[in-house]
Amino acid sequence: MDSIGRLACIVACAGLGACGGGGTVETNVRLPASDRPDVTPTASSDAIRVPAGEAFNYPRFSSGQEGPDARGSAMAAGADGAVCFAEVNGEGKAWGAFQLGYAFDHQATSPSPCVVHVRLTAEEAGRSSRGEGAGADASADGAVNLVFFMKDSMGLTIKEESLVFSTLNRGPRDATTRHDFVFEADLQPERGYYVIVSGRVDASATQSATSRVDLKVSDVAMDIRWGREPTGAVRAASQGS
């Protein structure tokens, strides 16, 4: 990346933090240009296939808890997934979060059209309860949030897709969903790019109540192919066929 690109990256990343306890899924990203591999697409270039060809180079895991019996956790799950959970028994709150993806620098003198294909399986679970004799003010809550996004090093969002959003306000939940979608993008010269799956779980409870939420993503695959595909092929893949 040239000096202008590096300066743009610094400006875009200023003030961005890691996953925190704010209750929303994290879509800020930051990776030094020296750690982003250079990619110069040509008509004969192979696709970027993550993790089949390239390992995820943007794994981030964070968690936290408040209260005597609260716990949050997030970690990798094999070479192509991540898992997080948050659990509270009694007064407190907890959270776990991850970002799993790939970052690279687009080293070209003109825009490069590409097609991005994303596939993954998401499993979520949630339970809450109030103990016997709990007062009317006893409560428990939890939330699961999973998104995919593509951003550049200037902070511009090219694509954002909500994959999972649920709360325990709707009652207990166990669900498994398969996501398979495709979109087109034009990569700009001398700019970094991130393709990321970002997930977060939050749990909270008052005295005499409990809450637990879990999220796991597996079989995560991201392919970036150069050029354009027929509209019909893009539509079919986005519908999971």
Side-chain angles (χ1 to χ4, degrees), residues 37-43 45 48 104-109 112 190 226:
D38 292 341
V39 174
T40 306
T42 66
S45 293
I48 301 175
F104 63 94
D105 276 351
H106 175 233
Q107 292 294 314
T109 57
S112 296
E190 305 294 328
W226 312 112

Side-chain angles (χ1 to χ4, degrees), residues 19-196:
C19 296
T24 58
V25 70
E26 183 62 79
T27 58
N28 289 329
V29 285
R30 176 171 55 189
L31 190 68
S34 58
D35 294 334
R36 300 194 302 257
D38 292 341
V39 174
T40 306
T42 66
S44 60
S45 293
D46 292 334
I48 301 175
R49 302 184 184 277
V50 184
E54 303 289 342
F56 292 109
N57 65 1
Y58 200 91
R60 301 288 187 271
F61 306 97
S62 56
S63 60
Q65 54 275 317
E66 298 178 16
D69 197 2
R71 185 184 174 200
S73 176
M75 65 187 71
D80 61 359
V83 61
C84 61
F85 77 85
E87 182 177 28
V88 181
N89 294 294
E91 186 77 30
K93 59 184 178 180
W95 58 274
F98 63 80
Q99 291 181 323
L100 184 65
Y102 189 74
F104 63 94
D105 276 351
H106 175 233
Q107 292 294 314
T109 57
S110 60
S112 296
C114 69
V115 176
V116 183
H117 189 182
V118 181
R119 304 175 299 282
L120 63 93
T121 299
E123 302 171 62
E124 54 171 313
R127 296 286 186 277
S128 63
S129 66
R130 297 195 306 167
E132 292 185 11
D137 59 345
S139 64
D141 198 5
V144 179
N145 199 348
L146 178 69
V147 302
F148 165 84
F149 63 89
M150 182 177 186
K151 278 189 172 183
D152 68 16
S153 53
M154 299 288 288
L156 176 66
T157 299
I158 289 90
K159 175 73 172 179
E160 184 168 329
E161 187 86 10
S162 177
L163 305 179
V164 174
F165 180 75
S166 62
T167 71
L168 290 181
N169 288 333
R170 303 173 183 174
R173 181 171 176 82
D174 288 284
T176 299
T177 53
R178 176 70 179 172
H179 301 275
D180 187 335
F181 58 94
V182 174
F183 62 94
E184 297 178 343
D186 289 312
L187 307 188
Q188 299 304 309
E190 305 294 328
R191 196 170 294 187
Y193 285 89
Y194 301 81
V195 284
I196 305 289

